[in-house]
Amino acid sequence: MTRSPRRDLLAGLTVAIVALPLALGFGVASGLGAEAGLATAVVAGALAALFGGSNLQVSGPTGAMTVVLVPIVARHGPGGVLTVGLMAGGLLIGLALLRAGRYMRYVPMPVVEGFTVGIACVIGLQQIPNALGVEKPEGEQVLFVAWRALVEFVTSPNWAAIGLSAGVAAVMLAGVRWKPTVPFSIVAVIAATVIAQVFHLDAAAPIGDLPSGLPVPSLAFLDVSAFGSLLAPAVAVAALAALESLLSATVADGMTVGQQHDPDKELFGQGIANLAAPLFGGVPATAAIARTAVNVRAGASSRLAALTHAVVLAVIVFAAAPLVSKIPLAALAGVLLATAIRMVEVGSLLAMAKATRPDAVVLVLTAAATLILDLVYAVIIGLVVAGALALRAVASQARMEQVDFRPDLPGEHSDEEHALLAEHIVAYRIDGPLFFAGAHRFLLELSEVADVKVVILRMSRVTTLDATGALVLKDAVEKLNRRGIAVMTSGIRLDQRQALEAVGALDLLRPDGREYATTPEAIAGARKHLEQAGLLPPEHRPHRIRKAAR
């Protein structure tokens, strides 16, 4: 049970007031209407709060999800969106059962920031038709749709719509700086609705009739034959829901003390929410970072706050549908325009862009791909580029350098003896990862070894060895052996031994006993090899050998 039920109830009420215009706006923006946004906020919000892995998350329709849904509506219609939501719910439950939640932490922050910026731009562009009071032009590419809407507005201006949308956005942006605790979004929407009604602004089109209650659960939309064509969009929706929900949960944990979410349970809760929401006509849902942040700042300490948020929205659906239906679409467009602007944290972007050049490249590429292509391609491109740059950085840290083996030379030895051994033995220490991204550089370096008789590879500092690294090492040993150069190794760890064993590299070392646990043992083995080859005169052989010769 919660320790502060009163604070949780007040926090839930506060979040509901903030969430109402967002739920309506995102429902309209998705193409399924305001009622779909409300149904999602109520059904998905309640179930995600009950079954999710965070005590503070608030779920519902989000701008990021809207960006993905708009092209799905255009291609497959409203029924396709509901089917995608159902399929995505099943995929999320599957990810939870596979315990995939822990892997979401590996998504780099430049990718997250990049698609957040891209999403903000897309959300803003999607609102242009409603903000200008024109019919939404046909098309999927938001840039072209926004441009056509602007051209239509210039031809036939609708000053009432643009005035309401600009006014709502301005009130929200100014209000959040003046008094962040006041929900200026609902204040601005109410004011815009009153102005539209009092002055009979017919040019400011309202939301329209809303059902006074949730519809009866139904699977009438389901078309099993369409599963194949909808699988890719469903995977995209599930991936986005997982990523945004776990990111939101991480943000919530960071804003509190003692709260820790369960990533796999959170995926399960989001899966249940997305399975249920389409039955009531709702769009796919995810945790909402902005609403979750409001919940935390309002003093929430348990799931009761998120449940209260869903209950309050349900009451509004049942009791105030006629009033809500009079809200101008331009006012909701203003809410989403302000939301898009607030999504972009300039300070964070500048800091990340200045951190390293690869981070800046990944951020810009992901943002541009989100705007020009779509969110799924953007995340894939961001991850691939970030991974490639990270691999290059890791590979550049690996190095191989010649080292003096005098400190590890066993037994007593004179400078003359050391100089003689140094003519025939060279020791290299490999530091860092020996893997596919940089292993071939080592092959080239080893192939250029000078005319010596023994090469000692000190491998105790190799941090990673994959199959490519093992094959490269094997090739290097074979090439050196063909030149009459014996290769000794020291310090091979147990986890590296498996990779070397698999490609047959150890077979090149074992017949002559050239694999050693320590460097002194390898040097002793190299010295023995030189003695057997007659390259060490008797006076420089170990004491026991000279004695046996006498």
Side-chain angles (χ1 to χ4, degrees), residues 489-501:
T489 62
S490 68
I492 298 177
R493 297 201 310 267
L494 185 62
D495 57 330
Q496 299 166 0
R497 188 182 302 276
Q498 183 177 357
L500 294 169
E501 182 82 53

Side-chain angles (χ1 to χ4, degrees), residues 201-537:
L201 301 178
D202 296 332
I207 291 175
D209 293 337
L210 290 175
S212 56
L214 294 175
V216 177
S218 171
L219 282 172
F221 62 85
L222 195 61
D223 181 6
V224 179
S225 63
F227 275 21
S229 61
L230 294 175
L231 181 59
V235 170
V237 168
L240 176 59
L243 181 61
E244 191 170 10
S245 296
L246 295 179
L247 177 62
S248 176
T250 302
V251 170
D253 289 347
M255 295 176 66
T256 59
V257 177
Q259 293 283 355
Q260 189 71 34
H261 74 282
D262 182 333
D264 297 313
K265 190 176 179 183
E266 179 62 27
L267 291 181
F268 181 79
Q270 294 296 332
I272 294 294
N274 279 285
L275 278 178
L279 304 181
F280 295 88
V283 296
T286 178
I289 296 177
R291 276 159 272 177
T292 298
V294 170
N295 193 39
V296 175
R297 292 193 189 105
S301 59
S302 77
R303 300 168 190 265
L304 179 59
L307 282 171
T308 301
H309 139 271
V311 171
V312 171
L313 290 177
V315 170
I316 292 173
V317 170
F318 281 100
L323 295 176
V324 173
S325 66
K326 298 181 184 299
I327 295 175
L329 289 172
L332 294 181
V335 170
L336 298 189
L337 283 170
T339 301
I341 293 171
R342 291 180 60 190
M343 286 175 66
V344 180
E345 297 183 7
V346 178
S348 175
L349 292 177
L350 290 177
M352 193 161 294
K354 292 177 180 178
T356 65
R357 183 174 295 179
D359 286 339
V361 169
V362 171
L363 192 154
V364 171
L365 276 178
T366 306
T370 302
L371 184 59
I372 299 171
L373 303 174
D374 64 41
L375 190 61
V376 179
Y377 285 119
V379 173
I380 292 173
I381 290 171
L383 288 175
V384 169
V385 174
L389 293 174
L391 286 174
R392 188 183 71 170
V394 171
S396 66
Q397 295 175 0
R399 63 184 184 276
M400 183 180 71
E401 57 184 9
Q402 184 175 344
V403 294
D404 185 10
F405 59 83
R406 183 192 297 266
D408 297 304
L409 187 62
E412 296 180 2
H413 56 278
S414 63
D415 291 340
E416 180 186 2
E417 182 181 8
H418 177 266
L420 181 62
L421 290 172
E423 290 180 9
H424 303 291
I425 302 174
V426 62
Y428 289 97
R429 183 177 63 218
I430 303 176
D431 291 327
L434 186 59
F435 69 131
F436 69 94
H440 294 284
R441 177 164 54 90
F442 289 104
L443 175 60
L444 294 175
E445 291 183 28
L446 281 174
S447 300
E448 296 173 357
V449 170
D451 186 17
V452 294
K453 294 302 179 182
V454 180
V455 170
I456 297 175
L457 298 179
R458 299 173 58 177
M459 300 183 61
S460 60
R461 297 190 183 182
V462 175
T463 56
T464 302
L465 180 70
D466 67 354
T468 303
L471 283 170
V472 165
L473 190 63
K474 177 186 176 183
D475 290 343
V477 173
E478 288 177 335
K479 288 185 177 182
L480 291 172
N481 287 345
R482 284 197 293 268
R483 291 171 52 194
I485 300 174
V487 179
M488 314 283 180
T489 62
S490 68
I492 298 177
R493 297 201 310 267
L494 185 62
D495 57 330
Q496 299 166 0
R497 188 182 302 276
Q498 183 177 357
L500 294 169
E501 182 82 53
V503 301
L506 289 184
D507 294 337
L508 298 176
L509 304 170
R510 283 174 175 164
D512 298 325
R514 296 177 182 176
E515 179 201 352
Y516 300 93
T518 65
T519 300
E521 292 175 357
I523 295 173
R527 190 170 186 173
K528 181 179 179 182
H529 174 78
L530 295 176
E531 292 165 3
Q532 292 174 346
L535 298 174
L536 283 184

Side-chain angles (χ1 to χ4, degrees), residues 88-107:
L91 291 172
L92 285 167
I93 292 176
L95 289 174
L97 296 177
L98 292 172
R99 304 186 67 79
R102 72 193 76 173
Y103 298 109
M104 291 296 173
R105 72 186 68 170
Y106 297 115
V107 178

